[in-house]
Amino acid sequence: MDQGYLPPEDLMHGYLDGVIDPEQESALFEELGRNPDLRRRFNEQQNIRSSLKYYGGKLTVPAAATSAVFEKLGMATPVASVPTPIPPPANSAATVADSVMQSSLVRYGLTAALAVVVTLVTLLMMDDDTGGALTSTASDIVSKTPARTLDMDVPVDGTIQRAAGASETGMTTAGSALAGLHTGSVDGAIYDNAPTAAITTSGEGQNETISLQELANAQTSFDESESFAAESLSKGALLAVSLPHLGAPHGSRAVPTVGDFQAADFPAVFLPDARRFKMRVNYIGGVSSPDATLNTDNAALSNSQSSENVSIDLMYALDEDWSLGLAYGHEQFGQVFRFRNEDNRLLEFRQNPIIDWVGVTGRYRPADFSLFDATAPYAEVQLGYGTTDAFLGRISAGVSTRLFNLVELDAAWHYSELMYSIPGGRNSSLKRGFTLGFSYAVY
Amino acid sequence: MKDRLSKGSETTTSTQERDALSRVVVAPDHGKRKRMAKPTRYGDLDDGRLYTCLNAGGSEAELAFAELYSRYSHRIYGYCMTMLGHAEEANDVFQDTFVKFYNSAVKGQTVANVPGYLFRIARNLCLNHKRDSKVTIEFDEIQFLSFDDSYENKELLKLLQTSIDLLEDEYREALILREIYGMNYAEMAEITEDSIPALRNRVWRAKDKLREILSPYLSELSNLK
């Protein structure tokens, strides 16, 4: 740098450029000390410099341009050639995946299509001829007795009541493994929840005898202390469809994540903002092990259960870490209880409780804590109350990570319990399991 | 300038260099020479060697090109986008830059400074493009980039983009090379064929102009992080 005279403004630029000598630097600091206007401009220039750096980091090559270059040269586009933004900004997330998801129409169309599917499934379920909140018919009672057919005349009501009496003994079935993954835009999950489906008796007294005389003269005896662990390997599939970012402006980058809000998208202040809202629609279906069998001295019981669940959450980000939501859920069970009476008659009783519940969901995902760049743990609690005096409690804890801004992976452990009344007692559906889900990110 | 970019002795594809290179990308395995087709190996090579590989053709050239593309495409794209202010045109020029760069290498063009050479190609193509197209772009024709950022930041980035577009070409170019891509003035002089003092003056004046344009928003820009 020339040693000639430089006006303070140029000294400032020279200093920021790193091209002035120590003598000029001293002169600059001296001037800064007595010239507030220069100090202000100095700060502004530093601000502009950092802004330009940030801007440069956001100028990323579209994937289509990369593909076009390699195509023109007759080469396959290698993944390794995806350029890295320079300099990498702190929360830079632009990747080659951007262009893949560039068409908002396609993205929202896909999401909407999936939502329609879910809605149809829901409607089909609601259209079930059982119709009511809790249904059971006499025709459901069938005999599978190999030796004798069940020959009885059972009043429907009485049948229901008595059969439900079996539930009164407190069957608690674990292992249906319908863990709820309601995160992300479209989630798929596999679960393989196993063992320990525990059927416990918790009757009202030792050796209580529940008379099922009205039901095929069966007599079943349970011992309160008896507990059975039955192998119940449940396998199933899960589909959770979310409609994220309700109200997000069309064409803008909405908030991608697996069931979460991107912290950087929200200011620390509490302000109503459409981008804070996110709607999730989830469908979860599964079938538990068909037979978890309990044998007693004079009776046998087996139980199988299927469950379908559709729930809708409207989540709102309170701040960078916390979000709160309202939820509506619709659950339908297909329950089959089988009893073998002392005459070796096998009695089968089916009921299909339908439960609608509303609840609140709280979610915590610390914005400042990340395991890696885009990986963070989260915890979620959901409480609900619904028809047939149902109570729902669900806790989830997991880790979600973002890959290429396109796919989110979510691994979580879920534990939920839905307690509901049925004629004659309360039943409990305990669902727990590990889920591995994925979702696409919406931009 | 061309002389500086064409110091052939540094990257001429000689037999000795090929052999030396083959020792990097080819490793012996139980007496047999087995190709290690791992792009990560190319990441260890300097620009000159990678450029030499382009002349070799085949998969070697492809891997070398992919590596060079990975290193410099971001800057070249940013340069084209900022200079042209129009996404489609920038895309075209950007693609042409790399195609021309590759073809030059295949033809045996020798290059001492690969990024400088790439910038020169991009620069010439940008200038040609601007010369051939209309001089002014209406504001509503500006194609804002699709920034991947929060809503607030997006607005600020668009503001910044517009402000940069308002600068004269030579100021804008100097600003990009110096402040966005952190080049030193000697590197800039090599690309633009201008003197260092002239470039320095442009950068400083560009920043002054930018400050004037952005003055109402400077406090908000400080949130751009």
Side-chain angles (χ1 to χ4, degrees), chain B residues 160-195:
Chain B
L160 203 53
Q161 184 190 348
T162 308
S163 304
I164 293 170
D165 285 343
L166 290 173
L167 298 175
E168 292 170 40
D169 285 352
E170 56 184 14
Y171 287 98
R172 191 188 316 141
E173 180 180 52
L175 189 74
I176 299 165
L177 298 177
R178 175 66 186 164
E179 293 297 336
I180 296 183
Y181 295 127
M183 286 188 181
N184 62 43
Y185 285 109
E187 290 172 324
M188 291 166 63
E190 188 175 328
I191 293 167
T192 61
E193 298 180 287
D194 289 313
S195 69

Side-chain angles (χ1 to χ4, degrees), chain B residues 78-210:
Chain B
Y79 177 85
C80 295
M81 186 61 217
T82 314
M83 288 303 291
L84 297 173
H86 192 276
E88 283 182 23
E89 294 173 2
N91 269 345
D92 291 341
V93 170
F94 167 77
Q95 292 167 29
D96 290 346
T97 299
F98 275 93
V99 171
K100 194 168 182 180
F101 168 75
Y102 182 79
N103 290 336
S104 301
V106 171
K107 287 175 185 170
Q109 168 83 36
T110 54
V111 168
N113 178 349
V114 170
Y117 183 55
L118 272 166
F119 269 109
R120 274 188 63 82
I121 297 173
R123 183 174 192 263
N124 289 336
L125 290 173
C126 283
L127 292 176
N128 291 344
H129 193 87
K130 287 177 85 75
R131 189 185 59 223
D132 295 342
S133 59
K134 57 184 177 181
V135 178
T136 57
I137 296 176
E138 299 298 325
F139 182 78
D140 57 6
E141 289 182 68
I142 294 176
Q143 288 189 352
F144 289 110
L145 289 170
S146 178
F147 294 109
D148 173 29
D149 215 321
S150 66
Y151 179 77
E152 293 84 355
N153 281 0
K154 272 181 190 173
E155 296 304 309
L156 291 172
L157 287 168
K158 286 178 182 175
L159 187 67
L160 203 53
Q161 184 190 348
T162 308
S163 304
I164 293 170
D165 285 343
L166 290 173
L167 298 175
E168 292 170 40
D169 285 352
E170 56 184 14
Y171 287 98
R172 191 188 316 141
E173 180 180 52
L175 189 74
I176 299 165
L177 298 177
R178 175 66 186 164
E179 293 297 336
I180 296 183
Y181 295 127
M183 286 188 181
N184 62 43
Y185 285 109
E187 290 172 324
M188 291 166 63
E190 188 175 328
I191 293 167
T192 61
E193 298 180 287
D194 289 313
S195 69
I196 289 177
L199 286 168
R200 185 181 295 140
N201 188 53
R202 279 181 208 161
V203 171
W204 295 0
R205 298 291 83 82
K207 289 200 292 185
D208 282 340
K209 289 191 177 188
L210 209 54

Side-chain angles (χ1 to χ4, degrees), chain A residues 346-381:
Chain A
L346 184 64
L347 309 176
E348 184 172 292
F349 177 69
R350 297 168 185 267
Q351 60 181 4
N352 302 96
I354 295 175
I355 296 155
D356 292 285
W357 54 265
V358 293
V360 292
T361 307
R363 184 179 179 86
Y364 177 66
R365 189 178 192 266
D368 293 334
F369 180 74
S370 64
L371 301 174
F372 300 102
D373 189 33
T375 304
Y378 68 86
E380 188 170 305
V381 176

Side-chain angles (χ1 to χ4, degrees), chain A residues 1 9-10 13-14 17 19 41 44-45 47-49 51-62 65-66 68-70 72-73 75-76 78 80-86 91 93-94 252-253 264-265 267 275 405 443, chain B residues 39 62 65-66 69-71 73-75 77-78 81-82 91 94-96 98-99 102-103 145 147-154 157 160-161 164 175 178-181 185 200 204-205 207-208 210-211 218 221-222 224-225:
Chain A
M1 191 76 187
E9 195 84 15
D10 284 356
H13 283 306
D17 249 0
V19 295
R41 276 176 286 159
E44 288 172 349
Q45 284 297 344
N47 196 357
I48 287 173
R49 278 169 61 95
S51 300
L52 288 170
K53 287 276 189 294
Y54 189 88
Y55 172 80
K58 293 293 176 184
L59 294 171
T60 52
V61 186
T66 295
V69 169
F70 283 85
K72 283 180 179 177
L73 294 173
M75 301 176 184
S81 69
V82 176
T84 307
I86 302 170
N91 59 348
S252 71
R253 172 177 171 271
D265 285 342
R275 290 174 304 112
N405 256 14
Y443 287 87
Chain B
E62 286 192 23
F65 180 77
Y69 183 88
S70 171
R71 288 182 193 179
S73 58
H74 173 73
R75 296 183 194 187
Y77 179 79
M81 186 61 217
T82 314
N91 269 345
F94 167 77
Q95 292 167 29
D96 290 346
F98 275 93
V99 171
Y102 182 79
N103 290 336
L145 289 170
F147 294 109
D148 173 29
D149 215 321
S150 66
Y151 179 77
E152 293 84 355
N153 281 0
K154 272 181 190 173
L157 287 168
L160 203 53
Q161 184 190 348
I164 293 170
L175 189 74
R178 175 66 186 164
E179 293 297 336
I180 296 183
Y181 295 127
Y185 285 109
R200 185 181 295 140
W204 295 0
R205 298 291 83 82
K207 289 200 292 185
D208 282 340
L210 209 54
R211 188 179 65 82
L218 283 171
L221 275 180
S222 62
L224 198 58
K225 286 170 185 146

Side-chain angles (χ1 to χ4, degrees), chain A residues 38-119:
Chain A
L38 185 65
R39 276 203 304 275
R40 180 178 53 80
R41 276 176 286 159
F42 183 80
N43 289 333
E44 288 172 349
Q45 284 297 344
Q46 283 186 311
N47 196 357
I48 287 173
R49 278 169 61 95
S50 61
S51 300
L52 288 170
K53 287 276 189 294
Y54 189 88
Y55 172 80
K58 293 293 176 184
L59 294 171
T60 52
V61 186
T66 295
S67 300
V69 169
F70 283 85
E71 193 176 326
K72 283 180 179 177
L73 294 173
M75 301 176 184
T77 308
V79 177
S81 69
V82 176
T84 307
I86 302 170
N91 59 348
S92 172
T95 69
V96 67
D98 289 352
S99 68
V100 177
M101 300 304 292
Q102 264 177 356
S103 166
S104 295
L105 192 62
V106 171
R107 294 193 303 271
Y108 286 103
L110 177 62
T111 307
L114 287 165
V116 167
V117 170
V118 171
T119 306

